[in-house]
Amino acid sequence: GIVTVLTGITGTMFGGWIIDKLGGSNYTSSKAVFVMSLITFPGALVCFITDNKIIFFFCVVIGEFLMFAISSPISGMTLSLVPSWNRSFAMSYQIFCIHFFGDMLSPIIVGYIS
């Protein structure tokens, strides 16, 4: 609920701000996405193995923040790599894929693992 809304707003703004500060090229965007993904992975792993609710919540907040921060550079790279006449389709396809793999398949996979 509220954690997702707040981390979504602040994370997306942070991701855009970081890319602006780093110069905004596709190379710097891809490096930022890589670094934020590397930081997110250990926290996500801790979420699965901890019994402490505070540590779990902290890792979820940081993980969600960084995952939303990644969305700005990825969208920027998509828009810069696609011809202008095809950008709306590229963005809609990107959003579809994010929701297909994140919202539809992940609960099935997590349910199977647990």
Side-chain angles (χ1 to χ4, degrees):
I2 191 72
V3 171
T4 301
V5 170
L6 293 176
T7 57
I9 292 169
T10 57
T12 303
M13 291 171 53
F14 175 76
W17 179 78
I18 286 290
I19 296 308
D20 284 344
K21 290 296 180 189
L22 295 175
S25 71
N26 285 337
Y27 180 70
T28 57
S29 294
S30 61
K31 286 193 321 187
V33 168
F34 180 72
V35 169
M36 286 187 262
S37 297
L38 283 179
I39 295 169
T40 304
F41 181 74
L45 186 62
V46 169
C47 284
F48 284 105
I49 60 175
T50 189
D51 291 333
N52 187 320
K53 290 180 184 179
I54 295 171
I55 293 173
F56 174 82
F57 185 73
F58 177 76
C59 290
V60 166
V61 169
I62 297 300
E64 280 193 37
F65 177 82
L66 290 172
M67 291 308 296
F68 280 112
I70 289 170
S71 68
S72 293
I74 289 174
S75 295
M77 287 188 290
T78 300
L79 290 173
S80 69
L81 294 171
V82 175
S84 60
W85 56 269
N86 206 14
R87 288 183 179 157
S88 60
F89 176 76
M91 289 307 298
S92 65
Y93 188 69
Q94 178 183 351
I95 292 167
F96 171 78
C97 289
I98 288 169
H99 287 289
F100 179 78
F101 292 113
D103 299 341
M104 189 176 132
L105 296 180
S106 64
I108 296 167
I109 294 169
V110 170
Y112 179 76
I113 292 172
S114 65

